[in-house]
Amino acid sequence: MAVSKMVGARVKRVEDPRLITGAGTYVDDIRMVDMLYGAVVRSPIAHGRIRRIDTKAARERPGVVAVYTAKDLQFAAPLPNAWNLTGIRVTRHDPLATERVRMVGDGVAFVVAESRYGARDAADVVDVDYTELRPVSDPERALRKGAPNVWDNAPGNEAYRTEVGDRAAVDAAFASAFKTVSLRVVNQRLIPTPIETRGVVARWDRGLEQLTVWSSSQIPHLLKTNIAGVLGLPEQKVRVIVPEVGGGFGCKLNIYAEEILAARAAMLLNRPVKWIEERRESFASTIHGRGHVHYVEMALSREGKILGLRNRFIADLGAYAQVNTEAIPTLANLVLSGVYDMGAIHSELIAVYTNLPPTDAYRGAGRPEGVHAVERIIHAAAHALDMDPTEIRRRNLIAKDRFPFTAKTGVTYDSGNYEANLDLALTVSKYAELRAEQARVNAGGTHLMGIGVAIYIELSGFNPSGAGGGIGWESGTVRFEPTGKVTIYTGVSPHGQGQETTFAQIAADELGVPFEDITVLHGDTQMVQYGMGTYGSRGTAVGGAALVKAIDRVKDKAKRIAALLLEASPEDIVYDQGGLYVGGVPGRAVTVQEVAGTAYLHVDKLKNEIDPGLEATATFDPTNFTWPYGTYIAVVIIDRETGEVKLRDLFATDDVGRVISPLLVAGQVHGGIAQGVGQALFEGARFDENGQPLTGSLMDYAVPIASELPAYVLAATETPTPVNPLGAKGVGEAGTIGTTPAVANAVVDALQQFGIDEVEMPITSERIWQALRNATQTKKGGRR
Amino acid sequence: MELSGKAHISAPRAEVWSALLDPDVLRACLPGCEALTPTGPDAYEASVVLGVAGIKGSYRGRVRITDRVEESRYRLAVEGAGGGNRIKGDAVIELRDAARGGTDVHYAGEAQIAGTLAVVGQRLLQPAAKSLTEKFFASIGTQVRKRVAEGRRA
């Protein structure tokens, strides 16, 4: 192994100069001669039958080239739902609604015009006549008797029901408990809000009969396969190119109607078609995240040992099963043991259809919801037992010598040293001093101080193919060019994660080639071997592992070539920092650059014993998920009079396994924290009883801005995973998962002296004010 | 969205009643009204251009009057659409002699809004609707007084 120089060093992202100087190319930067623009006509109502669509006025507008409705377009298949893990009542999702609309924003027609504004204006005059049907816009109401049915084949709106754990064991634990606690915890709907909305450009090459689709996506290859499937094209005639992507967070891990519509229109019209999603459109027609209601209970011994965890939760799938809609809530079940050795666990998940946008993967995807329920209920348990929230956690942590640890949820944790991580967090945050300060502040005065603790666990490194779905592997290719420069092709599709940097760091060390001599390419299906893309904190943990395997293979070949050149046996060749020499005789050496030149341009020296070229491809399919974890501590200050809440401190102590690039890990944690705070204090997609969005734009949907966030204090422990050769666990979602419960616990920690045990998220000043007011009024009434 | 209130018009109840049901008066008084065509007894087709909450659009719709009790009360049902927006409303209009003379018009209704208006304008819809209603009754008042004055001259 080479001496580590780049791995672990604070290397700046090679992606950034082009992105921050405006030299990056996003989908909307692509311009073509003869290009047309598409706009989708969307349903303004949440539920209804389409009586008639009159496109005449739109077609007659200047510059309008075509107006398509469902009956004008033929497809070989509807939009895909990838999983079928749960016996879900599958729903048909057509690119355009055929006879019924099921949510505000459902597409009913696609207008194509010479200009973007021309298309948009024409979309406004498409006259759609609906018979309105009663909608349902709340998952719990959707399950009630008499609720309108979103789908005829899912009576009662139940999409599926699934469970983990042992119900009888949990019942026994509760029967013998010293104390039990229960909470209703709403994990509200969130809107992913990447800075770059979705966008597509599609071009049909009539001569080659080839379709090229540029899309702001996280999954170029899967998109290619699915576009071919839906359009009925031979897959080798479809090329997907993912240029720069301005944020995904899971919402671009999907196959969307507009990708299909733009492609079909381009084929029919023989001209390139561009569609760029508007921000308001994005709020309605891109997937949402979360949307759970958890009823969680915990049974405890006198000493604070967790005897049992009982959970029942309702997951709002929305109106359609998008690619991962079905699978996401099931992930919540897999993290319910947290970092704790629990006596028994049982959890039941009921997934329901509503007349709202589909939910799907959003940063954390199922894991934040599960972790939040556990971390909220353990906070309530600490309060009920009058224990410090860090102490009750410590008493239940899985000890470091018990890994691999199989939890009562059925999953096996790879590695961990949770107590060391908790200890570091307490030191870094000066926890004891914080508690002393809290006692002083809360003794009287105008403000309340709360300290929230959460220890998250997540399953990352998606995913062992055997764990379901069969698509968890990843690929990497390392190619030496004849001049000794290196091109890496990765099947992951980084869109902010920075693998152009981290993979070059890994390759620089492993190959002994200068960092600047390495370029990492991705995102073009005609250039890169098949791969799965970027999601589920898998880029480095799975894609990086595939890269390491490819590097090993290319080094083996380099050794064989060097052996020929040096007239030695390959086993005697040592590859050390870019030089290959005969073991024990460092004088007999060649550089890897010389080997590369030989491999392509002096193949006579290979004597027909070795094939020309110096490159290798490898795949990696993990045997297990990786299980990062971390202790998050939040401090909030609340104004007693107004309920205004301010997040004063956030201490994040993560263990994401081996760290390749500390700067990039910190960047991921920073971004994750912002989104975690967003859920705790600011964000929430709200709808009225008619399914109309009440937070339909950035005027009403509050994404946190820098001035609302404190300077974070980051710390780290490093416990490598045995699951992959890098030892890296993944960090993409960590910050989001740990932050939300830490902040929510901090608020409750400040308010529990008034008998308040839960404040629904987003925890706004209004909600705190209301909770305080209710609490003091109940108190005055004399009885709770 | 609920919308209710009271407007005072300094004219006798009979005058106000006939003005409120006169297409010409309504055409003149409805903010942004471009056309109001009777399609049957107590039924009209209307076309309106309005800018609410920064969203300007033209709307076409149907207006129906039911439950009519002469000079006293009626129910107004409105259904309109335009520019991707849909509006559905239902209101009861009641006329009472005001203690200080003239007529009090009480109105109580509910409207459902869908589309861009709902998505972007939610927060601004209520005050906008209130202001439009006030504008409407103010100009009804002007029209009625004008008619009364013209009637006297005639």
Side-chain angles (χ1 to χ4, degrees):
Chain A
M1 173 113 185
V3 178
S4 186
K5 292 175 298 191
M6 298 304 287
V7 169
R10 295 175 67 83
V11 178
K12 285 189 179 173
R13 280 164 40 102
V14 299
E15 293 91 338
D16 284 346
R18 69 172 190 265
L19 295 179
I20 60 182
T21 58
T25 300
Y26 296 85
V27 170
D28 201 17
D29 295 319
I30 296 167
R31 292 189 179 90
M32 289 177 196
V33 175
D34 229 19
M35 189 154 78
L36 298 168
Y37 299 82
V40 179
V41 179
R42 298 189 183 278
S43 168
I45 59 170
H47 200 187
R49 275 183 206 291
I50 301 169
R51 261 200 305 249
R52 188 182 50 87
I53 304 175
D54 184 351
T55 60
K56 187 163 175 289
R59 278 184 282 117
E60 284 171 357
R61 285 188 69 90
V64 171
V65 176
V67 182
Y68 301 114
T69 64
K71 67 172 171 43
D72 303 318
L73 300 175
Q74 272 76 50
F75 300 105
L79 295 172
N81 161 31
W83 296 93
N84 267 323
L85 296 172
T86 58
I88 187 174
R89 287 154 158 164
V90 178
T91 54
R92 187 185 166 91
H93 192 183
D94 292 298
L96 287 173
T98 51
E99 43 88 42
R100 199 156 143 192
V101 291
R102 291 184 167 84
M103 61 178 208
V104 172
D106 232 346
V108 292
F110 190 61
V111 177
V112 186
E114 298 284 350
S115 77
R116 185 179 295 175
Y117 295 108
R120 187 66 186 73
D121 285 345
D124 274 353
V125 299
V126 171
D127 190 7
V128 188
D129 199 2
Y130 299 98
T131 306
E132 290 193 34
L133 299 171
R134 206 154 55 90
V136 60
S137 58
D138 175 278
E140 292 196 280
R141 260 188 282 141
L143 287 172
R144 282 188 209 149
K145 225 181 173 142
N149 270 335
V150 182
W151 288 94
D152 297 336
N153 65 329
N157 296 314
E158 190 177 306
Y160 68 84
R161 197 178 273 252
T162 180
E163 57 190 288
V164 292
D166 184 338
R167 190 191 292 267
V170 167
D171 288 347
F174 273 77
S176 68
F178 168 71
K179 200 127 212 166
T180 65
V181 284
S182 66
L183 282 177
R184 176 179 185 268
V185 182
V186 177
N187 212 287
Q188 80 275 28
R189 257 182 189 260
L190 300 177
I191 301 175
T193 336
I195 287 182
E196 185 210 17
T197 56
R198 291 189 295 120
V200 188
V201 171
R203 187 180 65 192
W204 174 246
D205 186 314
R206 192 159 50 99
L208 294 172
E209 295 187 319
Q210 170 162 318
L211 176 72
T212 305
V213 176
W214 289 259
S215 182
S216 185
S217 175
Q218 300 175 220
I219 45 168
H221 285 94
L222 291 169
L223 181 58
K224 176 197 68 165
T225 303
N226 280 284
I227 286 175
V230 177
L231 292 177
L233 287 173
E235 189 175 353
Q236 79 278 16
K237 295 289 193 183
V238 180
R239 176 186 189 181
V240 167
I241 300 174
V242 172
E244 305 289 2
V245 173
F249 313 119
C251 79
K252 294 173 181 170
L253 159 55
N254 231 304
I255 315 295
Y256 282 104
E258 296 83 2
E259 290 165 327
I260 303 298
L261 294 171
R264 182 57 96 208
M267 292 173 70
L268 290 170
L269 299 169
N270 256 314
R271 291 175 66 180
V273 174
K274 178 190 274 191
W275 171 81
I276 300 293
E277 186 182 54
E278 294 171 29
R279 177 63 62 188
R280 289 203 310 263
E281 207 176 14
S282 172
F283 273 41
S285 60
T286 288
I287 61 96
H288 289 181
R290 319 279 193 263
H292 290 193
V293 183
H294 287 255
Y295 292 87
V296 58
E297 298 168 79
M298 190 171 265
L300 297 131
S301 76
R302 187 186 297 272
E303 297 74 33
K305 288 292 287 178
I306 302 168
L307 305 175
L309 180 90
R310 183 189 278 149
N311 187 40
R312 177 175 175 273
F313 70 107
I314 292 115
D316 175 2
L317 301 188
Y320 295 96
Q322 280 278 1
V323 169
N324 314 288
T325 299
E326 169 201 9
I328 301 302
T330 65
L331 296 172
N333 269 337
L334 304 185
V335 293
L336 288 177
S337 191
V339 288
Y340 313 110
D341 181 9
M342 296 187 182
I345 294 176
H346 183 261
S347 175
E348 183 179 35
L349 153 62
I350 303 156
V352 303
Y353 290 116
T354 59
N355 291 107
L356 299 181
T359 52
D360 201 303
Y362 170 58
R363 207 164 191 172
R367 291 151 286 162
E369 297 92 316
V371 167
H372 191 77
V374 175
E375 290 303 306
R376 285 290 301 113
I377 196 68
I378 197 165
H379 182 95
H383 184 57
L385 293 172
D386 204 18
M387 285 175 76
D388 186 275
T390 62
E391 182 54 29
I392 191 170
R393 286 177 168 87
R394 187 185 297 278
R395 290 187 188 185
N396 288 285
L397 291 177
I398 299 160
K400 66 172 188 235
D401 56 5
R402 295 188 60 198
F403 292 90
F405 176 86
T406 299
K408 296 291 192 298
T409 47
V411 292
T412 300
Y413 297 172
D414 55 349
S415 64
N417 187 349
Y418 302 149
E419 191 158 22
N421 186 273
L422 172 61
D423 285 337
L424 180 61
L426 298 185
T427 308
V428 167
S429 64
K430 303 195 177 82
Y431 184 74
E433 287 177 32
L434 286 176
R435 285 289 176 205
E437 182 192 355
Q438 181 187 30
R440 287 195 304 275
V441 171
N442 291 0
T446 56
H447 288 76
L448 297 164
M449 177 173 167
I451 302 163
V453 181
I455 309 182
Y456 75 87
I457 183 122
E458 67 159 320
L459 63 165
S460 285
F462 273 65
N463 58 315
S465 295
I471 55 168
W473 61 280
E474 197 44 82
S475 67
T477 294
V478 179
R479 175 189 296 164
F480 272 94
E481 308 293 350
T483 52
K485 310 292 181 189
V486 176
T487 308
I488 291 169
Y489 300 88
T490 175
V492 299
S493 194
H495 48 282
Q497 292 80 1
Q499 268 92 12
E500 289 174 35
T501 307
T502 45
F503 283 10
Q505 285 177 263
I506 293 168
D509 281 359
E510 295 285 329
L511 295 172
V513 168
F515 181 72
E516 304 73 36
D517 284 0
I518 304 166
T519 294
V520 179
L521 298 176
H522 52 85
D524 181 342
T525 61
Q526 202 154 288
M527 181 172 74
V528 182
Q529 73 288 339
Y530 210 96
M532 290 300 140
T534 290
Y535 51 87
S537 301
R538 71 190 304 276
T540 300
V542 188
L547 172 66
V548 168
K549 278 178 73 180
I551 287 171
D552 285 345
R553 285 184 189 172
V554 91
K555 281 165 81 172
D556 280 345
K557 182 163 185 187
K559 283 185 195 170
R560 285 167 54 218
I561 296 171
L564 272 182
L565 297 177
L566 300 172
E567 295 173 344
S569 123
E571 299 82 61
D572 294 335
I573 301 292
V574 178
Y575 191 126
D576 182 28
Q577 298 187 61
L580 297 100
Y581 61 90
V582 181
V585 198
R588 275 173 68 197
V590 287
T591 66
V592 70
Q593 287 79 7
E594 288 167 334
V595 169
T598 304
Y600 292 94
L601 304 176
H602 301 287
V603 298
D604 50 313
K605 294 183 182 165
L606 303 183
K607 298 172 185 160
N608 288 329
E609 287 177 32
I610 303 174
D611 289 341
L614 186 55
E615 77 171 84
T617 298
T619 61
F620 180 76
D621 194 343
T623 50
N624 187 2
F625 293 100
T626 58
W627 299 83
Y629 55 90
T631 306
Y632 276 52
I633 297 177
V635 178
V636 299
I637 304 290
I638 292 169
D639 185 314
R640 269 183 204 243
E641 285 292 319
T642 63
E644 189 191 11
V645 57
K646 190 174 182 319
L647 177 63
R648 192 188 76 180
D649 306 301
L650 195 103
F651 304 93
T653 304
D654 290 288
D655 193 322
V656 297
R658 183 160 167 240
V659 170
I660 310 296
S661 190
L663 263 183
L664 273 70
V665 164
Q668 286 287 325
V669 172
H670 274 243
I673 290 173
Q675 283 173 309
V677 176
Q679 172 162 28
L681 299 181
F682 300 101
E683 300 181 41
R686 308 262 294 271
F687 297 84
D688 71 10
E689 66 278 10
N690 295 312
Q692 290 292 328
L694 299 172
T695 48
S697 77
L698 283 169
M699 287 195 297
D700 298 295
Y701 185 85
V703 175
I705 56 176
S707 63
E708 290 161 334
L709 299 166
Y712 318 132
V713 179
L714 269 46
T717 57
E718 206 168 306
T719 310
T721 176
V723 169
N724 64 60
L726 281 169
K729 290 191 172 186
V731 67
E733 298 153 293
T736 308
I737 302 176
T739 299
T740 308
V743 175
N745 281 342
V747 170
V748 172
D749 189 63
L751 302 178
Q752 61 200 6
Q753 54 173 308
F754 303 101
I756 296 164
D757 58 7
E758 165 73 3
V759 184
E760 200 173 311
M761 299 188 294
I763 304 170
T764 57
S765 54
E766 185 194 353
R767 283 180 166 162
I768 292 178
W769 180 84
Q770 195 67 56
L772 277 169
R773 196 176 136 93
N774 292 347
T776 46
Q777 278 177 353
T778 330
K779 216 169 174 184
K780 275 181 201 149
R783 190 177 286 201
R784 284 199 58 208
Chain B
M1 177 180 69
E2 274 175 30
L3 194 66
S4 63
K6 185 176 91 169
H8 180 261
I9 296 171
S10 45
R13 196 139 58 92
E15 295 286 348
V16 177
W17 177 263
S18 75
L20 278 175
L21 295 172
D22 180 338
D24 292 328
V25 176
L26 290 174
R27 203 174 294 123
C29 296
L30 274 171
C33 181
E34 298 208 316
L36 187 79
T37 323
T39 52
D42 287 344
Y44 304 94
E45 233 172 61
S47 116
V48 175
V49 175
L50 264 184
V52 178
I55 297 144
K56 198 164 175 188
S58 56
Y59 303 86
R60 279 179 303 126
R62 291 182 290 272
V63 181
R64 270 166 42 88
I65 289 161
T66 55
D67 303 351
R68 177 183 174 131
V69 182
E70 276 317 292
E71 293 186 16
S72 166
R73 55 175 287 157
Y74 63 93
R75 180 179 289 275
L76 187 70
V78 181
E79 234 188 285
N85 294 296
R86 284 165 72 86
I87 299 166
K88 223 167 92 178
D90 194 82
V92 171
I93 319 275
E94 213 171 320
L95 275 59
R96 289 183 209 152
D97 292 328
R100 54 175 163 145
T103 308
D104 279 339
V105 184
H106 296 256
Y107 54 92
E110 220 194 290
Q112 285 172 23
I113 319 280
T116 318
L117 260 183
V119 170
V120 180
Q122 283 285 357
R123 288 176 304 146
L124 305 169
L125 276 178
Q126 188 93 31
K130 193 168 167 346
S131 127
L132 287 174
T133 313
E134 280 165 5
K135 226 172 173 175
F136 169 71
F137 283 114
S139 60
I140 287 276
T142 313
Q143 288 285 331
V144 174
R145 283 192 300 275
K146 213 164 95 190
R147 274 161 49 131
V148 171
E150 278 164 6
R152 278 191 197 127
R153 270 201 297 277

